[in-house]
Amino acid sequence: MAETSFDVIVVGSGPGGYVAAIRAAQLGLKVAVVEREHLGGICLNWGCIPTKALLRSAEVYHLMHRAKDFGLSVDKAGYDLDAVVQRSRGVAKQLSGGVAHLLKKNKVTVVMGEGSIPAKGKVAVKTDKGSETLTAKNIILATGARARTLPGLEADGDLVWTYKHALQPPRMPKKLLVIGSGAIGIEFASFFNTLGADTTVVEVMDRVLPIEDAEISAFAKKQFEKQGMKIREKSTVTKLDRGKGKVTAHIEKGGKTETEEFDTVISAVGIVGNVEGLGLDELGVKVDRTHVVTDEYCRTGVDGLYAIGDIAGAPWLAHKASHEGVMVAELIAGQHAHPVKPESIAGCTYCNPQVASVGYTEAKAKDLGYDVKVGKFPFIGNGKAIALGEPEGMIKTVFDAKTGELLGAHMVGAEVTELIQGYVVGRQLETTEEDLMATVFPHPTLSEMMHESVLDAYGRAIHF
Ligand SMILES: Cc1cc2nc3c(=O)[nH]c(=O)nc-3n(C[C@H](O)[C@H](O)[C@H](O)COP(=O)(O)OP(=O)(O)OC[C@H]3O[C@@H](n4cnc5c(N)ncnc54)[C@H](O)[C@@H]3O)c2cc1C
């Protein structure tokens, strides 16, 4: 008979769940993962990875149009949307298979089915063949999240899409409306706009990418507009009238409503946690709107029950989920666990130009009462950026004027999603401006701008 008793059962195999399972197994615990759909969760199958594969195709296509700038020629740049999507699905499949391999290698039992918690220490799993009950002293909920829907703006997969539809689009949109300019909305807007869709983004807040530093948002907006995107800020889509092959969107701004026709709408208005059907009420687990309430160690208040990743609230990022997974596994194994510091988690958006940040924005630091020193450095002052043909962008750093602590770093431009980790390490090591200024950055690299931005905060920038 198959094993039913474990040290740890993880419900959900996204970057929170599978990483928690592997770390727990590494620490000698007997582990099972319950997954109802695909190993790897949203991240590998419908989120981080397949979007980046699509965006890479868009980036190459964009560069094909710029071939002449590099002394090259392309007869006729073109694309096959099906092939672009197939590549993205292939990448997702490859990585999901990789997770299966890693779980097997670490001797983690995988049970495919829908899990719920009928009582403390028990997981009931509905499988294809019926149902079974597994037991464990420790259960980790890692069931993730799904697209939020607003009344009247519900996706139908034809005219109105969620991210899942947009990842395998039934057609190339001609006139596209994207509702919401957070990371998911802007990445899809960037992808379809680059491939030639006439793209409008509607954002309810006063700027695109509203959680980013205001200067970075403004810089990114200018670049999006240069690429032909239309950005409507402080605006709300109040209604969608669906007709044959077209949608009339009612867009409200400052009390006035205008209508505009589109052939496709992508709704990217946030996510909601997968809290339903798990038996949380009966267990007495606190849920705030659609997220499980936990302490900094991801404990739910019910003995032996933890919640990690998207189901446990913001920031809704894969690396936050994975870090929480490792922390909880180590906590269960009796090791010293390091809680996540939300202000040290970088956020990256892979639009064109890319955007990346960590820590406090300038405005937030000031709101918190810090006296700040701010440094800025433009891509145009960097040799590598010019050699790459990517002179548009900037790096901004925010320091505590009193202590020299790096409070935040904000970037827009080519490859900044790869650069940001330098500042993340700096923050983790509680670095100050002195250490950063004394660090030797290799030449020629984009990373030299990270140095220059720090130097600029103290009036010492060399190349600008
Ligand atoms: C389009 C898009 C792009 C994104 N891009 C990025 C990015 O570039 N970088 C980044 O950091 N984040 C990105 N994210 C967010 C990222 O995908 C999530 O933060 C991450 O997947 C959360 O991981 P998780 O383990 O908490 O949950 P998930 O990845 O959502 O995994 C949860 C798993 O639990 C399973 N499950 C749910 N309920 C049950 C149940 N009852 N029983 C069994 N299994 C269950 C689900 O099937 C799923 O496989 C993106 C998200 C989207 C939608």
Side-chain angles (χ1 to χ4, degrees):
M1 195 182 129
E3 198 65 64
T4 59
S5 170
F6 298 89
D7 296 318
V8 183
I9 301 172
V10 188
V11 185
S13 73
Y18 85 77
V19 169
I22 290 174
R23 184 68 189 124
Q26 281 176 349
L27 292 166
L29 299 169
K30 199 168 136 197
V31 187
V33 166
V34 178
E35 170 56 55
R36 69 180 177 192
E37 200 184 346
H38 300 289
L39 292 177
I42 291 297
C43 173
L44 269 57
N45 296 286
W46 300 107
C48 324
I49 298 296
T51 48
K52 268 74 264 177
L54 292 183
L55 285 158
R56 174 74 172 148
S57 292
E59 186 185 355
V60 174
Y61 183 62
H62 174 71
L63 283 173
M64 282 159 78
H65 282 96
R66 293 186 52 205
K68 235 175 140 189
D69 297 353
F70 299 93
L72 308 171
S73 59
V74 171
D75 271 353
K76 194 175 176 301
Y79 63 84
D80 170 350
L81 187 63
D82 286 346
V84 168
V85 170
Q86 255 178 42
R87 175 175 179 274
S88 162
R89 298 320 305 155
V91 170
K93 197 168 167 213
Q94 179 180 343
L95 286 167
S96 179
V99 169
H101 165 77
L102 289 173
L103 291 171
K104 193 169 173 205
K105 184 179 143 203
N106 284 282
K107 302 191 171 47
V108 173
T109 301
V110 175
V111 182
M112 292 307 292
E114 173 114 23
S116 62
I117 323 295
K120 237 165 64 173
K122 286 200 163 93
V123 177
V125 190
K126 269 193 229 151
T127 66
D128 280 352
K129 295 185 193 105
S131 60
E132 58 181 302
T133 301
L134 313 176
T135 58
K137 203 166 155 214
N138 300 286
I139 296 171
I140 304 174
L141 297 173
T143 54
R146 62 185 184 277
R148 182 171 164 221
T149 53
L150 295 178
L153 312 185
E154 293 89 353
D156 51 39
D158 175 21
L159 298 170
V160 185
W161 301 346
T162 63
Y163 59 81
K164 272 203 180 176
H165 306 117
L167 276 164
Q168 34 184 8
R171 64 176 176 278
M172 176 63 198
K174 285 195 179 67
K175 192 152 186 268
L176 171 68
L177 169 64
V178 178
I179 311 175
S181 76
I184 294 176
I186 277 294
E187 286 186 4
F188 281 115
S190 199
F191 172 71
F192 286 112
N193 189 63
T194 304
L195 293 193
D198 174 359
T199 305
T200 298
V201 177
V202 171
E203 169 57 54
V204 68
M205 305 295 279
D206 62 354
R207 57 200 168 85
V208 281
L209 294 165
I211 66 166
E212 299 297 341
D213 187 276
E215 261 180 282
I216 300 292
S217 288
F219 193 104
K221 179 186 172 186
K222 252 195 207 159
Q223 298 302 315
F224 298 149
E225 285 178 336
K226 259 197 207 168
Q227 295 161 22
M229 227 187 260
K230 289 157 205 111
I231 308 278
R232 298 175 71 157
E233 294 157 336
K234 293 189 199 160
S235 302
T236 312
V237 177
T238 53
K239 201 171 149 203
L240 295 175
D241 293 327
R242 298 164 210 233
K244 201 160 179 276
K246 65 175 181 160
V247 181
T248 306
H250 297 241
I251 305 171
E252 195 259 349
K253 183 175 185 177
K256 277 195 193 145
T257 299
E258 288 175 9
T259 57
E260 192 171 343
E261 263 181 28
F262 298 89
D263 63 67
T264 309
V265 178
I266 296 177
S267 172
V269 293
I271 56 156
V272 291
N274 292 323
V275 289
E276 302 83 358
L278 292 169
L280 298 182
D281 273 357
E282 296 78 355
L283 286 164
V285 174
K286 263 200 211 143
V287 174
D288 177 14
R289 279 157 289 176
T290 65
H291 293 98
V292 172
V293 178
T294 66
D295 68 5
E296 58 177 344
Y297 291 100
C298 297
R299 294 179 292 214
T300 62
V302 174
D303 203 24
L305 186 66
Y306 304 82
I308 62 171
D310 279 6
I311 192 187
W316 297 283
L317 293 167
H319 39 293
K320 176 257 195 187
S322 297
H323 186 88
E324 287 180 342
V326 168
M327 179 192 68
V328 169
E330 293 180 351
L331 194 67
I332 290 170
Q335 297 211 337
H336 184 66
H338 301 274
V340 171
K341 290 190 225 147
E343 65 289 352
S344 288
I345 296 177
C348 298
T349 307
Y350 300 75
C351 44
N352 178 20
Q354 295 183 358
V355 173
S357 60
V358 64
Y360 301 137
T361 61
E362 182 180 349
K364 174 85 180 171
K366 285 179 177 163
D367 281 355
L368 290 171
Y370 286 101
D371 182 12
V372 296
K373 274 194 183 290
V374 174
K376 291 176 207 169
F377 195 82
F379 272 48
I380 191 74
N382 175 266
K384 179 74 180 287
I386 294 171
L388 290 177
E390 299 286 355
E392 304 284 359
M394 71 177 281
I395 296 187
K396 174 171 176 178
T397 42
V398 182
F399 289 89
D400 179 349
K402 275 198 200 95
T403 63
E405 182 190 353
L406 176 64
L407 297 172
H410 310 277
M411 307 175 164
V412 54
E415 301 304 337
V416 296
T417 57
E418 294 294 335
L419 295 181
I420 194 70
Q421 187 59 11
Y423 287 133
V424 177
V425 172
R427 278 180 61 80
Q428 179 69 16
L429 299 177
E430 296 180 0
T431 188
T432 62
E433 90 290 5
E434 267 191 63
D435 300 319
L436 287 167
M437 286 199 265
T439 303
V440 182
F441 286 71
H443 176 77
T445 62
L446 298 174
S447 74
E448 287 173 284
M449 290 184 283
M450 297 168 68
H451 194 209
E452 291 273 15
S453 177
V454 176
L455 292 171
D456 182 59
Y458 291 85
R460 292 177 42 181
I462 303 285
H463 291 96
F464 202 71

